[in-house]
Amino acid sequence: MQLLDGKLVSASVKETIKIKLAAAKLLGKKTPHLAAVLIGNNGASETYVASKVKSCEEVGMKSTLVRLDETVPENELIAAIEKLNADADVDGILVQLPLPKQISEEKIINLIRPDKDVDGFHPMSVGKMVQGLPTFIPATPYGIMLMLEHYKIPTKGKHAVVIGRSNIVGRPISILLSRNTDPGNCTVTLCHSHTHNLKEICLQADIIVAALGKPGFLKADMIKENAVVVDVGITRVPDATKKSGFTIKGDVDFENVAPKCSYITPVPGGVGLMTIAALLMNTYNAAISK
């Protein structure tokens, strides 16, 4: 069993970006600028956005954090995004999800200019991804693909099972794994809460991507020997023994599943770090495309 180390791979991606940015700066090119919009005080979102801002600094990118109150009216958020859309210095815009109930997530995603959509959620970005055209790919699936590429995981002709069908992870990673690329060329089965015989389907899989948000869901008796397991889950579970009062759990029962795997991602230290690295790569690509 070998760990798919998100810390190692994300550091490699960041170093690549850092070198490219240093070279671009010598040529007088602009510094990529990422603007993040954070609404409310959700603990997980706060931590995640802070990590994005810190990562921008590490590679030499500019970042702006726009904070809005949990009770912000939708029209105020729209005005803030339109301002960022119009700012020529801003290359990438991300609005941290989830959004408060008074705001339409679909409306906000559609509002972000496609050429600044570094989260890859805009319908135009999704459509191009489906057609295999150059576009921004959602950061978590993109991060997974970068990780598979780094470790040279064989994917051609393999059976990949994706558990979870969200627009953020499940659907896009199923498309990326099926594309005629490397990594890619998998036969993909997309499973969800209404899938019958899930255990039997998982037992056929060479690669499993668990992205359903249920801690410890994937058990050892659901995978075959030498499977590759990518755990996208990241859930805060109450833990009185921790100073923070919680522990982070993935969707995989890591302790029992890991011994059967050829490769597996840890949680934390796996896909989450790759998500941020992929977001930086999207922001870099947004800036150089101008």
Side-chain angles (χ1 to χ4, degrees), residues 84-215:
L84 295 173
N85 276 338
D87 188 340
D89 188 56
V90 172
D91 302 295
I93 301 169
L94 72 89
V95 178
Q96 186 63 38
L97 303 177
L99 297 177
K101 60 181 183 297
Q102 75 272 17
I103 294 169
S104 164
E105 189 172 294
E106 181 183 0
K107 185 185 291 186
I108 298 306
I109 288 170
N110 292 353
L111 183 65
I112 296 170
R113 266 176 47 175
D115 62 327
K116 297 189 179 189
D117 173 40
V118 290
D119 258 337
F121 297 156
H122 193 282
M124 189 176 292
S125 302
V126 175
K128 286 183 175 180
M129 178 187 66
V130 170
Q131 293 187 342
L133 299 173
T135 190
F136 297 118
I137 297 169
T140 299
Y142 186 17
I144 293 169
M145 298 300 281
L146 289 172
M147 182 177 274
L148 295 175
E149 181 180 27
H150 180 91
Y151 281 96
K152 298 180 171 59
I153 305 292
T155 58
K156 186 178 180 179
K158 301 294 185 180
H159 183 192
V161 169
V162 177
I163 311 172
R165 54 180 167 179
S166 74
N167 291 332
I168 295 173
V169 183
R171 290 187 190 279
I173 192 63
S174 70
I175 292 164
L176 294 171
L177 287 170
S178 70
R179 292 201 310 187
N180 186 15
T181 56
D182 185 19
N185 280 307
C186 291
T187 298
V188 181
T189 302
L190 180 60
C191 300
H192 45 77
S193 58
H194 294 281
T195 300
H196 295 297
N197 305 318
L198 179 59
K199 178 178 175 180
E200 288 78 3
I201 293 169
C202 288
L203 283 167
Q204 298 170 28
D206 303 300
I207 301 167
I208 297 179
V209 179
L212 68 162
K214 292 186 178 180

Side-chain angles (χ1 to χ4, degrees), residues 1-4 218-221 223-231 252-267:
M1 184 275 291
Q2 183 175 347
L3 283 181
L4 297 172
L218 188 72
K219 306 295 185 185
D221 65 354
I223 72 158
K224 68 180 183 181
E225 291 288 339
N226 296 317
V228 176
V229 174
V230 177
D231 189 351
V252 177
D253 177 13
F254 184 89
E255 184 179 341
N256 296 304
V257 169
K260 293 182 72 174
C261 297
S262 55
Y263 294 89
I264 186 170
T265 59
V267 176

Side-chain angles (χ1 to χ4, degrees), residues 23-70:
K25 193 171 184 179
L26 290 173
L27 295 173
K29 296 185 178 180
K30 79 179 290 292
T31 300
H33 182 180
L34 174 66
V37 181
L38 177 61
I39 298 140
N41 300 295
N42 177 279
S45 293
E46 288 266 6
T47 302
Y48 195 42
V49 170
S51 183
K52 290 172 179 177
V53 170
K54 182 184 175 185
S55 294
C56 283
E57 293 171 1
E58 287 175 1
V59 301
M61 286 185 184
K62 183 179 177 182
S63 66
T64 297
L65 176 56
V66 178
R67 284 182 169 275
L68 296 170
D69 192 79
E70 180 79 21

